[in-house]
Amino acid sequence: MEKERDMRYEKFQTTGQERIRLACALEGFFLANECEEEKKTAYGQYLKRRIRPAMEALIREENVGKMELLENSGWFGAEELENFICTARRERKLESLVWLMRLKNQKYGYKEKKFDL
């Protein structure tokens, strides 16, 4: 298991392919107890800078639990949340869409629009 973690981190550090680097960072970041603090920090710093592709990957997986953990980190705001809702809608990921819309309601609410006749 430790060898696998070291290989993942080495691949994360050395690969030039963003898709592979993102996958390694997502996998390593969510291994809460199994990851050394230095590695978790490196994964976290990378994911913070790449929050949009990270959340989009989790939306495609419909992994609401991991989406919630990333949201708790405070790495994105209302504008990014709107983009994630659009992604979930476009990708037809209902579970992710419902969670994101509930999150929007809790954090920012929905503004009522008035139409004058």
Side-chain angles (χ1 to χ4, degrees):
M1 190 68 154
E2 189 172 321
K3 185 178 179 182
E4 184 180 317
R5 286 187 305 234
D6 291 342
M7 287 175 51
R8 180 186 314 105
Y9 188 72
E10 174 141 354
K11 189 182 288 187
F12 167 75
Q13 292 289 75
T14 60
T15 188
Q17 296 182 25
E18 283 301 313
R19 181 180 50 83
I20 293 173
R21 194 160 192 224
L22 179 63
C24 290
L26 282 170
E27 190 176 333
F29 184 76
F30 293 112
L31 295 175
N33 300 351
E34 301 177 30
C35 189
E36 297 169 16
E37 196 60 37
E38 173 189 329
K39 292 177 183 177
K40 186 170 177 84
T41 300
Y43 291 140
Q45 289 173 343
Y46 174 79
L47 291 174
K48 183 177 182 180
R49 291 189 315 270
R50 307 276 298 151
I51 193 65
R52 186 186 51 79
M55 283 293 288
E56 287 176 355
L58 296 176
I59 288 168
R60 284 188 206 95
E61 292 174 15
E62 293 219 274
N63 196 327
V64 173
K66 289 182 179 180
M67 289 167 51
E68 188 171 4
L69 290 172
L70 279 186
E71 191 277 325
N72 288 337
S73 299
W75 294 341
F76 62 87
E79 186 176 331
E80 293 86 0
L81 183 56
E82 283 296 327
N83 290 330
F84 301 149
I85 289 171
C86 290
T87 298
R89 191 177 300 136
R90 185 177 56 251
E91 298 278 333
R92 296 187 173 148
K93 300 299 184 180
L94 185 60
E95 187 178 352
S96 297
L97 179 61
V98 168
W99 183 82
L100 290 164
M101 291 180 78
R102 283 184 180 157
L103 177 64
K104 178 182 176 179
N105 188 45
Q106 289 171 353
K107 290 187 87 169
Y108 308 106
Y110 287 93
K111 294 180 173 92
E112 185 177 319
K113 293 184 179 180
K114 295 187 182 203
F115 299 97
D116 294 328
L117 297 177

